[in-house]
Amino acid sequence: MSDGELDFDPDELTMLRQLFRSEAQNALETVTTHVLAGGSAKPTSDALTEMMRMTHTLKGAAGTIGLNTMVDLAHRLESALAAFGRESSLWTPATADLLVDVTDALRAYLDIATEPAGDVAADMIRDQIDQIAWPHR
């Protein structure tokens, strides 16, 4: 979806994207807090559920304002978190650090999402998420 296909005028879209960045920063900080609370241990079921809720909300909000790459990244992270809930053996002692790296990269990505450099950053984040979700690939 391009900016021209959205039902917002340019000023409104700019304002909504700024609001999204702020809310996304907070959501990603919540995910990081849940990861760090457990140290290197797998988060509790409740923490994983909250982390998935945060990423699901990010996905929807990004779609509303036409940030389709962010939709994809949030979906991938949400799927990785869901995999941990289904299969505990996917979580390794390094997973927590990798998840923090991903949330940090996503926070940085929010500042360049609509710039050409955003595509390169998004590809790197996809690779990071894949390393977390499928460590044996």
Side-chain angles (χ1 to χ4, degrees):
M1 180 180 310
S2 69
D3 288 358
E5 295 172 336
L6 297 172
D7 290 333
F8 305 111
D9 67 49
D11 291 337
E12 189 177 38
L13 183 60
T14 298
M15 186 265 314
L16 288 171
R17 286 184 173 170
Q18 289 172 346
L19 179 62
F20 169 78
R21 270 194 300 277
S22 175
E23 290 182 1
Q25 294 283 354
N26 291 336
L28 291 166
E29 185 60 35
T30 298
V31 172
T32 300
T33 299
H34 283 298
V35 171
L36 294 175
S40 63
K42 178 184 163 206
T44 65
S45 177
D46 288 344
L48 276 173
T49 298
E50 177 66 8
M51 293 160 59
M52 289 181 344
R53 187 180 70 75
M54 288 284 135
T55 55
H56 183 81
T57 300
L58 279 177
K59 180 175 66 174
T64 300
I65 57 170
L67 295 176
N68 297 327
T69 301
M70 187 64 190
V71 170
D72 175 59
L73 295 171
H75 176 72
R76 287 170 184 261
L77 182 55
E78 180 185 14
S79 295
L81 294 169
F84 296 131
R86 289 187 308 271
E87 183 59 51
S88 294
S89 66
L90 291 176
W91 190 274
T92 70
T95 302
D97 290 337
L98 293 170
L99 272 172
V100 170
D101 290 344
V102 166
T103 57
D104 287 348
L106 283 168
R107 279 197 291 277
Y109 172 77
L110 291 168
D111 294 331
I112 60 170
T114 58
E115 299 174 13
D119 293 338
V120 173
D123 286 341
M124 292 173 49
I125 295 167
R126 283 184 191 99
D127 289 343
Q128 286 178 303
I129 294 170
D130 287 351
Q131 288 174 15
I132 294 168
W134 300 278
H136 304 295
R137 268 193 189 171

